[in-house]
Amino acid sequence: MATYQEFIQQNEDRDGVRFSWNLWPSSRLEATRLVVPVSCLFTPLKERPDLPPVQYEPVLCSRANCKAVLNPLCQVDFRAKIWVCNFCFQRNPFPPSYAGISDVNQPAELMPQFSTIEYIVQRGPPTPLVFLYVVDTCLEEEDLQALRESLQMSLSLLPPNALVGLITFGRMVQVHELSCEGIAKSYVFRGTKELTAKQIQEMLGLMKPAASSGQQGRPVAPQEAAATCKFLQPVHRVDMNLTDLLGELQRDPWPVPQGKRPLRSTGVALSVAVGLLEGAYPNTGARVMLFTGGPPTQGPGMVVGDELKTPIRSWHDITKDNARHLKKATKYYEALSNRSAVNGHCIDIYACALDQSGLLEMKCLSNLTGGHIVMGDSFTTSLFKQTFQRVFSKDYNGEFRMAFGATLEVKTSRELKVCGTIGPCVSLNAKGPCISENEMGVGGTSQWKICGLDSSTTLAMYFEVVNQHNAPIPQGGRGAVQFVTQYQHSSTQKRVRVSTIARNWADAQTQIQHIETSFDQEASAVLMARLGVFRAESEEGPDVLRWLDRQLIRLCQKFGQFNKDDPTSFKLSESLSLYPQFMFHLRRSPFLQVFNNSPDESSYYRHHFVREDLTQSLIMVQPILYSYSFYGPPEPVLLDSSSILPDKILLMDTFFQLVIFHGETIAQWRKAGYQEMPEYENFKQLLQAPLDDAQEILQTRFPMPRYIDTEHGGSQARFLLSKVNPSQTHNNLYAWGQESGAPILTDDVSLQVFMDHLKKLAVSSST
Amino acid sequence: MSQPGYVATPPYSQAQPGMGGYPAGFGSGPAQPMYSHYGGPPQAFSVPPPAGAMKPPVSSPAPGMMPAPPASSHYSPNPQQNGAHTQRYPAPPAGPPAAYGQPPHSQYNNMASQAPPPAQQLTNQMGAMNMGSYAPRPMQSPPPPVGSVAPPPLQIPPGPAMGQPPMAPGPQSPQMSPQMAPPQMSPTGMVGMAGPPMAGMSRPFPGPPPPGAGGFQQPGPGPGGFQQPPGPGPGGFQQPPGPGPGGFQQPPGPGGFQQPGPGPGGFQQPPGPGPATPPGYPQQPGQFGGQMAGPQPGFPGGFPGAGAQMAGPPQKKLDPDSIPSTTQVIEDDQAKRGGQLYTTNLRGQVPPLVTTDYTVQDQGNASPRFMRCTTYSFPCTADLAKQCQVPLATIIKPFANVPKNETPLYVVNHGETGPIRCNRCKAYMCPYMQFIDGGRRYQCGFCNCVNEVPPSYLQHLDHMGRRVDLYERPELSLGSYEFTATMDYCKNKKPPNPPAYVFMIDVSYSNIKSGLVRLVCEELKEMLDNLPREEGAESSVVKVGFVTYNKILHFYNVKSTLAQPQMLVVSDTADMFVPLLDGFLVNYQDSKAVISNLLDQIPDMFAETNESETVFAPVIQAGVEALKAAECSGKLFIFHSSIPTAEAPGKLKNRDDKKLVNTDKEKTLFQPLKGVYEQLSKDCVAQGCCVDLFIFPSQYTDLATMGDVCSHTGGSVYQYSNFQMETDGEHFLRDLQKDVEKNIGFDAIMRVRTSTGFRATDFFGAIHMNNTTDVEMAAVDCDAAVTVEFKHDDTLSEEAGAIIQCALLYTSVGGHRRLRIHNLSLNCSSQLMELYKSCETDSLINFFAKSAYRAILNQPIKNVREVLVNQTAHMLACYRKNCASPSAASQLILPDAMKVFPVYMNSLMKTCPLVGSTELCTDERALQRLSVLGMGVEETQLLLYPRLVPLHTMEVESEAVPAPLRCSEERLAADGMFLLENGQSMFLWLGQGCSPDLVQDIFNLPSLAHMQENMTALPELDNPQSMKLRSIISSLLQKRPNSMKLRIVRQKDKAEMLFRQHLVEDKGLHGGASYMDFLCYVHREIRQLLT
């Protein structure tokens, strides 16, 4: 094991896990003093091309409240054919099928390289995937046309045996029957009326006649429903039909008077969608895909009234508690999300509008069910088109990169307890011995439901060391955590993936150095950021910032080397050196700063932040800046205003935006058309280089970033200017005069100022 | 008419009772048999024998003259009774049965000839008889006594008339005979006079009249020389005596019958037959003559006997022919005023009867087609009105069809200023506005306010003080015209959109199974080509929409651009809404292809349904919402199968409880359930949404509730119980076709303004009233009539008269907002005589029917019936007291204009809503109640006195339809074929003795026995009989607002019961008195009132 860097990388590659600390303090008090909690980022379905799934059931610990899965950390007595659970120390006999087990003939799950292993289990009949399109028809004709095309195109991307359904809505909500010949039928719901699941199912005729009188509303079993459900049909069967249907999709015909918004019944449409799936396919992987072009304006879940003179709520309104519909709508969508989550259905939101479309209220739909949120200006943009296409992308095996209805269970060894998790999931409220009372994120449970996930879906998991200071964990031991993820694979198989991770315990007093070096500052930055974002959802912005600052200062105090009250003496070791900078950018990021962002945008950014993996998260926190010039190959440069030079082209990736910025001189040249001249071939190449690189990123990123090509002085340059560290501003321009670069007109503090303050506070004896 | 025919074709003559009644005479034989069936107790007939005795005499005369005597047949029943139940008709037996006499008063005489006798007199005998017997079933039972006699009559055949004679009962007869005899004879005589017997008869008074008139009494003249009165030139009978001048005493005796109550208790003449009679008679005849005569003649056929009885010997009983006959009255009016031009230039002019063919020329008052009044002369004071108890009402049919030969209404456009109206009362410019001050101002005829004439409307006056442009402006010279309404008269100040028709088809199991859905879908395709359109417009702008439903609703998008229709299902019946806007209501011509595609598919789509539950209120709600969304008015055509039991608003349950019948709670059977439906009515009216319900039930459907919305929105309910394609399909389609195509206006508000002194206080019809003055109608079609009752506020002046202006604001089928104005001026008088003279029986009965049908919602039916009888008696008593010349109390004197009022009243009381019988279907009763509320005068007249047309005597060469007969069993002949229709249903009745030739001609069957039950259509055969009959039927169907199902019933078939209940002069099948009994009863009441 070379460096921690390598160790960390290796672990991440194998198990999809990044811990904040790779050595764990042996007592609760020590752990607390480390400031950054023992926690990890876990990617349950991390793509593992090298990991073939095994075709049998996992072996479980027989203790009722343990049920841990046999893993390489277990002690095995080959002769007695007994294994000892490493979490509860229960001795378990191997099942009969393991009779042939021996030192040299071990099942895969006992081999160390299979600390993560995937089982394919045969339970119940295979259930098809369900895709339910929920389409807003209150769109401009152009948008609707583009959307129609995208949807028609998507039919060819769906798995052929997947079930597909269509709900359209405007003033009314229409559930289209797909099986019929001749007349196109649809069931219509009024957009203003809240209906219970039972009512919806009755109205759609999903209830068996007997059920309506007899036992209460429990929907019919999935198989029976499948036969009768006219609304969800295999793609291959209704392909043509549905294509025509989509082709004939008309704009909402109800007149929209001047000065009014169209009446959009998003709330009811979603409730019908959820109710329909709930009735027809409970506990089966299903994806509700909402395509909307504006805010819900009527009925339950309405976000803004239809009067155009009343603008949709802004952050300002929200702070003043002036957003009339906010609470009610949020509550409504939360209830829907929870129902949907219970049944394992995820909800995507594709919102394309120039104004806000109510994502703030609706975000939980996706956040709690693991659905996507895509926000764009219009369905005609390639941002939407390609992103949508990418939803159906396939992996190296030709399988869809999507999984459904996952249950993530965490088991810990006795010294650890789980505090909670932050990610696109809901609690299953599973009680167990390893649950901490101290909640961080979604806690109080050891199991979570993730209705929709893909290979990059990453959760932040927070732990707590149990042992008290006076009874620390003995040296040399290892703590272990096991993640058991049961999910429905896109091939409709049921699978279980098990990752078992162990780390050494270390005495923080004697081995603080070791612990310090085991610090994963990238993971820690993201983990802390998630905590911050999580708090920001419920707390005032400034409070969150203060909390983050305090944590940072405490960390610096703990690990910095300094002389009291001498800021200049302050130093941080290499393993922590980047951390403050991450925090600096995090403070400025849209996840915590709502200034200049609409509530919808904030929700959108936060949504992605709490589900992406470490790399992407870091990009979001601290965008990457590349510089292209004649003076050498492209190089990453500081995210600093000093990097903005006239003869350079910059490529900035903020995850959400991809900005190509042409320096002043370059822009002039380009304007003059030098690139067209054969003698300036190299200039042409220079111009082309960032474009190619950007293409590469665009190809892989989900959702597709907003692509911005701008230049010095261009209005869109603001995307770059708002991100870079304002080392030069109108305030200090002259002080820094000799340096070239672009001054930023801002009162924001620069990194230097930030660091100065940090040092001062860290070394101050008063805190 | 009949007569001639008669004469010409002897063979028929016999058969046709209708004719002079001669036939009857002959036919008597057969007739009796019928009776026997009928009455059940054959004995009844037996009675005749006595008659027989009598007859001889009569017969003889008859022969001489004509078969005239037949009339007696009517009588026979009575007589029998008398005989039989002595108790009942105590008096009769007494001796002077004859009394009955029709001894009308002679007064007539002169008059008679001219015009119908003003009044008729009934013998008080009737009274007497009734009194006792009233309740009990008079007629039939009696037989016994007669019995002995009876047999003979039959045989007597020769003098068929005799047959009836049952009456004759020895004892009484004698007395009667003298008097009676003559009269009857006279009828005969009349007949004779007439030339053709018939003529005399049928034609009222005119020519033959007198004689006819004499009917009872004097008949003598002609025939047996009975007419003692010989004197009477005219009828011979008449009493020429008294009435010297006017012939009849009309003046005095407008009242019809007076039977000189002479000697015998009740009976008049009877007593002093010989001597007395003459005098008494004379008069009577006169009066009677007019009326009675008529009847008799008619009857004669049927009841030859009667004649005989009367004439001859003794009679005690009333001759049915002697009591006023509706058919006679109708014929008389037709003869007198038919085919003439009726100009509306006079105030208070009484129009011809509704049954008469006439042409109207509008000269300042609305045509009677639009407005008819119960009386055209209002009493001046409230006291007078109260005293006579004659309701003051007008029946307005604002959209009545105008025959092609009359001028359609002019549309006046006053441009942006809109119609000119009185500043104070808001009455519209009309001929009653008096221009003064050189034309600069005008005085409102209604409130007397003086208004400035707008400059643009200024016009000089001529030397007569009339505007120079009087005849150029419809609103100054006509009684009816239209204004183009300005935006001020439109909802939301926006011009209205064209109306829409929404077809809503119940596709639950029973409708699918019966084939109804397929039928409707197929036919709609063609019918929709004939949607109503604005006069002169090339095509209809009415939009159409389609909904199917069972317990959920399916809307269809039939936009013309679609390749296929789209179905939108709404299951949320608790909270109905319309799922689409664009494409639901479309122009039929534009979307023809899609609609036809849809209509093709609907029956197949639901072919496999097993859904049997339905909803109803949500369906209407959906329709209203659709119209609301489209911002237009319109009409819903709902084709519904069963009581809505599915869980939804307006769910109904079976509340048909026969135990409630005849209790104080019976009214609940008629009361609609409140709540949902009530609100729905309001919504519909507010939106101008008319609801027409076609219901195809197989059991109770709570029509009282289901039809409630229709009855408030100007809609109709059509019921087809146990619908079967083969038998009801045609009928239903005809109804639907008429309904789809008829002229109609939407979203209407009607306001009735009156001159000072009285005002409209109550409104009856398929209307909704939000306040006390505005009549709101979601739609008003050419058959919709509103009956408006007036009350005095103050004293009216004879000089100014009473004027009424009905203004109807509506949206035309072309989507134009219009104001239709009808003006009518009436006389006022402080003399009740005037009022009674200008009464209109048909309008009166329309008013009574509607008020009674409304009253049964709130009070026990028994009370309602009592009130009806009391008011009838009161009206007549008041007349007797104030207008008739003094006469014996035993005489029943009826105002001429109301002489047939009792028969209608009696018929009304026998209609199913007013008869408390557990055998009647509750839905049926509710339905009739609802439909009558919206009926006009023509329809109520026909409903309460169906037309019974003898077919076996028709002349195939002539265009004419044979003259109808009185609706009584006695007029039927076993060898005859009759067509009966009342505007709701139609029967072809075939006597058992129907001639095989006729059967062959009409049905292409060798005999009646080969006929299948429940036939509802006639085969199309190429022979004159068949063609004539079918053309009669089809022209009737054409004429009536509703299509009627033709039922073919054979004598003695089970289905005959249905037919019989329409013979309104007979005892009701489910209770209710015969005409005769009723008359007697009323008479008794009157006498009580008078004392």
Side-chain angles (χ1 to χ4, degrees), chain A residues 350-634:
Chain A
Y350 303 88
C352 289
L354 288 170
D355 196 1
Q356 300 187 73
S357 51
L359 286 183
L360 172 65
E361 288 81 357
M362 298 194 287
K363 64 183 179 222
C364 50
L365 291 170
S366 299
N367 285 350
L368 301 188
T369 63
H372 303 302
I373 294 183
V374 174
M375 191 167 99
D377 291 342
S378 156
F379 289 108
T380 57
T381 57
S382 61
L383 185 151
F384 163 74
K385 290 180 180 170
Q386 301 207 13
T387 304
F388 180 52
Q389 210 165 341
R390 218 158 282 163
V391 171
F392 302 99
S393 66
K394 295 181 179 174
D395 65 11
Y396 54 92
N397 281 332
E399 285 170 336
F400 290 95
R401 283 197 168 96
M402 54 175 87
F404 295 95
T407 316
L408 170 62
E409 184 173 5
V410 178
K411 300 181 190 308
T412 57
S413 48
R414 288 174 181 175
E415 307 82 5
L416 273 183
K417 281 194 174 176
V418 61
C419 299
T421 186
I422 297 176
C425 60
V426 290
S427 159
L428 281 177
N429 282 321
K431 300 300 171 204
C434 60
I435 300 162
S436 161
E437 285 174 3
N438 176 21
E439 277 189 41
M440 300 173 87
V442 181
T445 176
S446 61
Q447 291 181 24
W448 293 266
K449 183 110 183 179
I450 316 167
C451 297
L453 69 173
D454 58 30
S455 55
S456 68
T457 306
T458 301
L459 291 89
M461 198 75 72
Y462 300 88
F463 301 95
E464 178 184 66
V465 178
V466 177
N467 293 45
Q468 295 302 324
H469 190 57
N470 47 11
I473 300 154
Q475 293 291 302
R478 290 208 292 178
V481 175
Q482 186 172 64
F483 300 101
V484 181
T485 315
Q486 308 189 41
Y487 68 101
Q488 182 185 343
H489 190 257
S490 62
S491 64
T492 78
Q493 289 164 336
K494 292 244 193 278
R495 295 194 181 188
V496 182
R497 186 187 278 218
V498 180
S499 300
T500 317
I501 289 111
R503 293 289 186 274
N504 289 331
W505 295 111
D507 178 359
Q509 285 174 328
T510 56
Q511 296 179 295
I512 190 71
Q513 294 299 326
H514 289 101
I515 291 177
E516 187 179 345
T517 47
S518 80
F519 183 66
D520 181 343
Q521 52 184 343
E522 291 175 339
S524 300
V526 174
L527 284 161
M528 289 306 282
R530 282 210 185 183
L531 277 177
V533 169
F534 187 82
R535 281 173 177 252
E537 291 288 320
S538 49
E539 292 175 27
E540 296 275 323
D543 293 346
V544 179
L545 292 182
R546 258 195 297 280
W547 174 82
L548 263 186
D549 291 345
R550 207 160 43 240
Q551 302 299 312
L552 176 60
I553 295 164
R554 282 180 52 206
L555 189 74
C556 291
Q557 283 173 332
K558 174 82 181 168
F559 294 104
Q561 295 171 343
F562 54 86
N563 300 325
K564 271 231 153 77
D565 295 327
D566 177 7
T568 54
S569 68
F570 184 85
K571 259 192 192 160
L572 273 178
S573 72
E574 198 184 327
S575 58
L576 280 91
S577 57
L578 293 175
Y579 188 81
Q581 189 183 330
F582 288 140
M583 289 298 120
F584 168 76
H585 287 292
L586 177 64
R587 290 177 99 262
R588 288 165 54 84
S589 74
F591 311 114
L592 299 181
Q593 293 289 351
V594 297
F595 180 75
N596 252 345
N597 287 314
S598 69
D600 272 10
E601 285 170 314
S602 300
S603 305
Y604 175 63
Y605 295 141
R606 286 172 186 169
H607 164 82
H608 284 285
F609 186 69
V610 296
R611 73 198 318 258
E612 286 299 334
D613 64 16
L614 180 132
T615 320
Q616 306 297 337
S617 300
L618 273 184
I619 295 176
M620 291 185 219
V621 171
Q622 181 176 343
I624 297 172
L625 193 61
Y626 290 96
S627 173
Y628 298 77
S629 72
F630 288 120
Y631 314 117

Side-chain angles (χ1 to χ4, degrees), chain B residues 601-858:
Chain B
Q601 292 197 48
I602 287 178
D604 296 329
M605 269 193 293
F606 300 99
E608 304 301 322
T609 191
N610 50 13
E611 183 59 70
S612 57
E613 288 194 309
T614 55
V615 293
F616 185 64
V619 178
I620 299 180
Q621 184 77 46
V624 180
E625 297 293 334
L627 298 183
K628 213 180 268 175
E631 294 178 332
C632 67
S633 50
K635 182 157 163 174
L636 312 181
F637 297 79
I638 303 182
F639 306 92
H640 193 86
S641 66
S642 57
I643 188 165
T645 50
E647 203 51 62
K651 173 181 172 177
L652 298 177
K653 55 181 193 291
N654 190 338
R655 56 190 186 99
D656 182 14
D657 186 354
K658 287 273 162 47
K659 287 203 236 34
L660 298 181
V661 173
N662 284 325
T663 67
D664 284 357
K665 285 192 174 165
E666 184 168 4
K667 60 190 179 193
T668 58
L669 295 178
F670 296 107
Q671 287 167 343
L673 290 182
K674 300 273 173 196
V676 176
Y677 289 95
E678 204 173 20
Q679 182 58 41
L680 214 43
S681 296
K682 283 185 193 153
D683 290 354
C684 283
V685 171
Q687 188 54 42
C689 170
C690 164
V691 180
D692 273 357
L693 175 62
F694 294 81
I695 187 157
F696 307 84
S698 51
Q699 54 195 7
Y700 174 78
T701 51
D702 195 356
L703 263 189
T705 303
M706 291 185 73
D708 185 49
V709 176
C710 308
S711 74
H712 282 101
T713 58
S716 320
V717 180
Y718 300 85
Q719 185 181 232
Y720 310 88
S721 294
N722 300 313
F723 179 83
Q724 283 182 314
M725 275 282 250
E726 305 74 38
T727 55
D728 305 279
E730 284 278 312
H731 167 211
F732 156 64
L733 290 179
R734 277 195 307 263
D735 269 336
L736 177 57
Q737 189 176 0
K738 278 180 189 249
D739 200 25
V740 169
E741 295 171 8
K742 70 182 168 188
N743 190 21
I744 190 168
F746 291 97
D747 202 4
I749 294 188
M750 186 172 93
R751 178 79 192 258
V752 176
R753 293 187 173 82
T754 56
S755 51
T756 48
F758 72 113
R759 70 195 154 85
T761 53
D762 211 349
F763 300 85
F764 306 86
I767 55 171
H768 176 78
M769 307 241 354
N770 251 341
N771 52 43
T772 52
T773 53
D774 294 337
V775 180
E776 295 183 55
M777 292 177 279
V780 47
D781 61 39
C782 56
D783 302 317
V786 179
T787 299
V788 184
E789 187 182 12
F790 299 104
K791 289 261 161 66
H792 281 79
D793 270 344
D794 202 348
T795 307
L796 300 173
S797 90
E798 297 198 12
E799 202 175 306
I803 57 180
I804 303 170
Q805 182 177 69
C806 157
L808 180 83
L809 174 64
Y810 71 99
T811 303
S812 71
V813 285
H816 303 291
R817 202 77 174 142
R818 295 270 173 76
L819 272 158
R820 180 173 277 222
I821 314 290
H822 296 301
N823 302 298
L824 187 62
S825 58
L826 305 174
N827 283 336
C828 291
S829 169
S830 46
Q831 299 299 314
L832 282 179
M833 190 58 208
E834 288 298 311
L835 178 145
Y836 281 102
K837 250 198 323 206
S838 52
C839 269
E840 242 250 321
T841 296
D842 298 333
S843 301
L844 276 173
I845 200 69
N846 177 282
F847 173 84
F848 279 111
K850 289 190 181 185
S851 64
Y853 281 4
R854 184 197 281 175
I856 57 178
L857 277 189
N858 304 315

